[in-house]
Amino acid sequence: MSDSKYFTTTKKGEIFELKAELNSDKKEKKKEAVKKVIASMTVGKDVSALFPDVVNCMQTDNLELKKLVYLYLMNYAKSQPDMAIMAVNTFVKDCEDPNPLIRALAVRTMGCIRVDKITEYLCEPLRKCLKDEDPYVRKTAAVCVAKLHDINAQLVEDQGFLDTLKDLISDSNPMVVANAVAALSEIAESHPSSNLLDLNPQSINKLLTALNECTEWGQIFILDCLANYTPKDDREAQSICERVTPRLSHANSAVVLSAVKVLMKFMEMLSRDLDYYGTLLKKLAPPLVTLLSAEPELQYVALRNINLIVQKRPEILKHEMKVFFVKYNDPIYVKLEKLDIMIRLASQANIAQVLAELKEYATEVDVDFVRKAVRAIGRCAIKVEQSAERCVSTLLDLIQTKVNYVVQEAIVVIKDIFRKYPNKYESVIATLCENLDSLDEPEARAAMIWIVGEYAERIDNADELLESFLEGFHDESTQVQLQLLTAIVKLFLKKPTETQELVQQVLSLATQDSDNPDLRDRGYIYWRLLSTDPVAAKEVVLAEKPLISEETDLIEPTLLDELICYIGTLASVYHKPPSAFVEGSRGVVHKSLPPRTGSSESAESPEAAPAGAAPSEQPAVIPTQGDLLGDLLNLDLGPPVSGPPVATSSVQMGAVDLLGGGLDSLMGDENEGMGGPSFTAPSAVMPSNLAAPLGGGGLGDLFDLAGGMGGLSGSYVAPKTVWLPAVKAKGLEISGTFSRQVGSLSMDLTLSNKALQVMSDFAIQFNRNSFGLAPAAPLQVHAPLAPNQNVEVSLPLNTVGSVMKMDPLNNLQVAVKNNIDVFYFSTLYPLHILFVEDGKMERQMFLATWKDIPNENEAQFQIKDCPLTADAVSSKLQGSNIFTIAKRNVESQDMLYQSLKLTNGIWVLAELRIQPGNPNLTLSLKCRAPEVAQYVFQAYETILKN
């Protein structure tokens, strides 16, 4: 008879009947009753009233009955915590049962009962099971530790379970090792700072030994753990690779991808001249190809990962083009992904094959696929120069088919081919113009208008063609309107006499009748250019355009390196780092590839903040203010170019207002005017803090070294942190810190180029801020910054800039411009860089001022864990311009009375209480501007603890 009978009942007093059956003496009857209870629970009936009766059934040797009772317990323990305590004794007993299955079952259930009261009672049984002689019990106990850590992390740490877990990594049984690694990885993920998986060559060796004998999921845990290890040299990396390679032939695709991840990561450390490097490349291709014979969903995941691998190391699959040819029965998502990889692998050797395939695809029935295929032909032309001629003739054949969407895609890609190979294929323009009327998609219309404007001198009726577009100007999309405006201005500059009316018409449409700010701005810029200086207009609008690059859709290198570390996870399918789509409190740790052999890059990931930096110092990146500036300068839409053609100006770059009031208006200053870059004259006044580096006292002060001036060593300088990560700034990474040396302020920067192109024309500007910080000179980067290079720059600062109160007070918003774009970030500067050298008050003055400042302005703070003597504190603080005016000893406590002065003239008075033997100091601050107290306290903490 099947178990369905438990779900049918006709009785009235059901709970009462079940209670009676549960208390029956007959074992069989008991078991039947528990099954009925579980059945009721499964369909959602509340049977929690039977809790004590079910728990009584735990005292049994029957494994089946025990499992059912434990199932009930897991479900109801949370709602009946007081009752659940009754079950604790049984757990403790079951953990010492001679049958290992029962011991493991007890441990597993303990981990699933998420009740705080009970967890303490479970520590003893869990400790025994972690040291159990049976590996099945040990492996179950290892996972239980991770579950317990999730409920009560502190308890797990206090009980020393984490150390026991670490010991299990050296266990003789591979499954125990795998579970211990899984549990530690899980715990480490929720506590990124704790160094739990302290991997060293010995533990790695144990993991590799266990790898061969684990179940497939055990292997994945171990491989993922190996991927987080950084070998000490290339020999170690090679030996790990040799031992991981056999996993590539595993039947489970997840194991294969995890192995590929480890190998891709450690290959970074192998020199390309090694024979082994070549062998490894050859070994990586077959498993990836095999993944493509799985079902479509798995193929898609494999293809998304292959897409990353091909961008990082195209040589792995360069001979495997044929497996990426599309099959007729592939789902569309697989087809599109295969197409993408085909283009990435296209080279002179295989282009003929690829083009023949693509031409076939262009006659398919699936519209999305055909579009992508036509676009692919264009990308091949741009990528492999020798094939351009054939690609163009293929595209012309496709245009002759007169299929609307094929024609439109073809025109979009032909525009790019013109950009890549100027003055070569313009003979086809006539054919394109014949199809003008059939274009109805914005991108195709914009491409056609660009072609007509760019080659107006070769097209006799160019003005008529463009005029035909003007009739419905307001119905067009922004992309087409912008393109039309630029094209007509180009036409006017080429044939001024015939097109005067046309250009007037388009300029008034763009500036007076349009409510799109981008369009209006571009219209005004052209209008002013044409009216003030037609020669300059010609130079700007008809400037030589840089050739477009072959791959416009490559993933940015730093992001690609991070994604390679996530092969086989969701991040590799989304092509986004986990921080972009994982929500919640778990800190997502940024991963990065180990440095290439022989490179000087540090092995630490650039995001790792130095140990001394407080968490609050992590910079926040200001969101980019539209791409308005880029849009204004980059007068042509289309693929990204290597930089807008900006005329070099004689004005010093440091004095240029990068945004023409852009950043100010962004912050609420209604700035009139047109948004074009406005140039402000360099400040002729020598900044006050450079003019008198030693404070106001002149020579007399020079000799009073202990008095009015800080030690010449300068104040404390925090280690550099990353202010602008490369991922947010198209490959430019900026890290920095602030320093004050003998009265001069500076911002010390490291600029790193992690992009594929050279960076130049650097400039920097600050937004208005609480203390008027501003650059005292232009940002001096003397030579262009090549890819993978970095440069150290010290930017002198003064405090005579515009002032606006920020929140937090020490927030500084910065704009940095280079030839690629303008980038924004904000950072917090430590207040002690603003403590001036003449901050020592006279004693009498100090007393009078202290009394004069109202008591409600006094703020008290605790500086914890700072076991220094009064003299050490005093000399440390004096280095950063906090001066001790008097010292008293009251009831065996040292009291230091101190003063400091900020660059804007605000005085802060302090009383610091130091008790011998107590590492905590008490700081009282008095100031007429109480809002600075919090930041002065942070400065005290920073100086004393470093």
Side-chain angles (χ1 to χ4, degrees), residues 392 395-400 402 406-418 425-439 444 447-452 455 459 465 469:
V392 172
L395 288 168
L396 286 176
D397 292 347
L398 292 171
I399 289 176
Q400 297 309 338
K402 298 284 186 222
V406 176
V407 174
Q408 309 212 47
E409 284 296 334
I411 285 176
V412 173
V413 294
I414 286 178
K415 177 203 69 173
D416 290 347
I417 294 175
F418 286 169
Y425 300 111
E426 279 76 9
S427 51
V428 307
I429 291 177
T431 320
L432 302 182
C433 290
E434 290 164 17
N435 294 286
L436 229 163
D437 302 333
S438 65
L439 307 180
M448 192 65 226
I449 291 169
W450 183 86
I451 292 171
V452 173
Y455 301 105
I459 304 171
L465 294 175
F469 282 103

Side-chain angles (χ1 to χ4, degrees), residues 724-745:
L724 180 67
V727 181
K728 300 249 170 85
K730 303 189 181 168
L732 171 65
E733 182 180 280
I734 300 181
S735 38
T737 184
F738 294 90
S739 62
R740 181 183 188 93
Q741 303 288 336
V742 201
S744 326
L745 279 175

Side-chain angles (χ1 to χ4, degrees), residues 605 693 720 794:
S605 73
K720 285 184 182 170
S794 186

Side-chain angles (χ1 to χ4, degrees), residues 57-165:
C57 300
M58 277 171 87
Q59 315 286 349
T60 173
D61 307 329
N62 183 325
L63 190 59
E64 189 185 5
L65 182 53
K66 218 176 213 23
K67 276 185 179 172
L68 290 167
V69 175
Y70 277 169
L71 196 62
Y72 176 88
L73 205 63
M74 282 188 240
N75 202 15
Y76 282 119
K78 206 162 180 68
S79 58
Q80 306 260 350
D82 300 333
M83 303 290 266
I85 292 184
M86 293 168 29
V88 169
N89 281 336
T90 319
F91 281 134
V92 177
K93 227 163 76 186
D94 280 357
C95 285
E96 294 175 3
D97 194 276
N99 181 346
L101 290 175
I102 288 184
R103 297 202 296 273
L105 181 65
V107 173
R108 183 179 291 119
T109 313
M110 276 162 32
C112 296
I113 294 182
R114 304 178 61 83
V115 176
D116 256 350
K117 287 184 184 174
I118 298 185
T119 34
E120 304 157 20
Y121 297 112
L122 306 183
C123 294
E124 245 353 275
L126 180 57
R127 185 174 285 108
K128 284 183 187 152
C129 289
L130 281 167
K131 303 229 164 52
D132 199 282
E133 77 266 12
D134 191 287
Y136 180 72
V137 182
R138 292 201 300 278
K139 91 177 176 74
T140 313
V143 177
C144 184
V145 173
K147 288 180 175 172
L148 200 59
H149 189 273
D150 196 33
I151 303 167
N152 188 341
Q154 197 54 49
L155 182 72
V156 172
E157 284 157 34
D158 298 345
Q159 292 281 344
F161 287 149
L162 294 182
D163 299 326
T164 319
L165 262 189

Side-chain angles (χ1 to χ4, degrees), residues 745-749 764-766 774-780 793-798 814:
L745 279 175
S746 64
M747 182 193 240
D748 304 324
L749 302 168
I764 193 164
Q765 189 178 319
F766 295 176
L779 183 61
Q780 302 282 353
V793 192
S794 186
L795 176 73
L797 306 179
N798 59 34
V814 185

Side-chain angles (χ1 to χ4, degrees), residues 607-862:
E607 283 82 356
S616 63
E617 288 173 13
Q618 279 302 322
V621 174
I622 307 174
T624 324
Q625 174 206 15
D627 279 304
L628 195 65
L629 192 80
D631 218 60
L632 284 173
L633 295 173
N634 181 10
L635 296 175
D636 270 301
L637 285 163
V641 292
S642 58
V646 184
T648 47
S649 151
S650 58
V651 183
Q652 269 185 305
M653 223 24 232
V656 177
D657 174 1
L658 292 175
L659 302 171
L663 198 58
D664 276 348
S665 53
L666 187 71
M667 301 306 163
D669 174 24
E670 287 305 320
N671 205 324
E672 286 299 315
M674 257 315 298
S678 68
F679 291 82
T680 53
S683 145
V685 190
M686 190 172 175
S688 56
N689 58 350
L690 288 176
L694 302 179
L699 269 181
D701 235 3
L702 263 178
F703 300 105
D704 177 20
L705 280 176
M709 204 192 102
L712 280 176
S713 61
S715 62
Y716 165 70
V717 181
K720 285 184 182 170
T721 51
V722 176
W723 286 342
L724 180 67
V727 181
K728 300 249 170 85
K730 303 189 181 168
L732 171 65
E733 182 180 280
I734 300 181
S735 38
T737 184
F738 294 90
S739 62
R740 181 183 188 93
Q741 303 288 336
V742 201
S744 326
L745 279 175
S746 64
M747 182 193 240
D748 304 324
L749 302 168
T750 303
L751 308 176
S752 312
N753 179 356
K754 307 213 166 174
L756 298 169
Q757 66 193 78
V758 175
M759 294 181 179
S760 57
D761 309 334
F762 285 93
I764 193 164
Q765 189 178 319
F766 295 176
N767 191 22
R768 297 185 298 171
N769 54 75
S770 312
F771 292 92
L773 278 179
L779 183 61
Q780 302 282 353
V781 181
H782 296 297
L785 194 55
N788 292 323
Q789 262 195 338
N790 51 23
V791 62
E792 310 253 334
V793 192
S794 186
L795 176 73
L797 306 179
N798 59 34
T799 50
V800 294
S802 315
V803 174
M804 175 169 87
K805 189 172 171 187
M806 300 295 285
D807 182 30
L809 206 60
N810 56 343
N811 191 11
L812 179 65
Q813 296 175 330
V814 185
V816 172
K817 171 185 174 295
N818 62 13
N819 58 331
I820 297 171
D821 207 343
V822 181
F823 307 107
Y824 307 89
F825 63 89
S826 70
T827 179
L828 302 176
Y829 49 90
L831 212 64
H832 65 261
I833 62 163
L834 303 174
F835 298 171
V836 294
E837 281 63 27
D838 57 347
K840 186 165 187 178
M841 228 182 217
E842 293 297 332
R843 281 188 175 202
Q844 299 315 108
M845 186 72 181
F846 182 92
L847 277 170
T849 313
W850 185 274
K851 286 179 184 156
D852 193 35
I853 295 175
N855 283 341
E856 54 266 27
N857 281 22
E858 184 172 344
Q860 269 219 349
F861 303 95
Q862 283 280 323

Side-chain angles (χ1 to χ4, degrees), residues 371-407:
R371 283 171 180 277
K372 185 107 178 202
V374 175
R375 217 160 257 224
I377 295 173
R379 276 176 63 190
C380 287
I382 289 167
K383 189 170 180 190
V384 185
E385 191 167 344
Q386 294 74 7
S387 73
E389 191 111 6
R390 292 176 60 176
C391 291
V392 172
S393 64
T394 307
L395 288 168
L396 286 176
D397 292 347
L398 292 171
I399 289 176
Q400 297 309 338
T401 61
K402 298 284 186 222
V403 177
N404 188 317
Y405 55 85
V406 176
V407 174

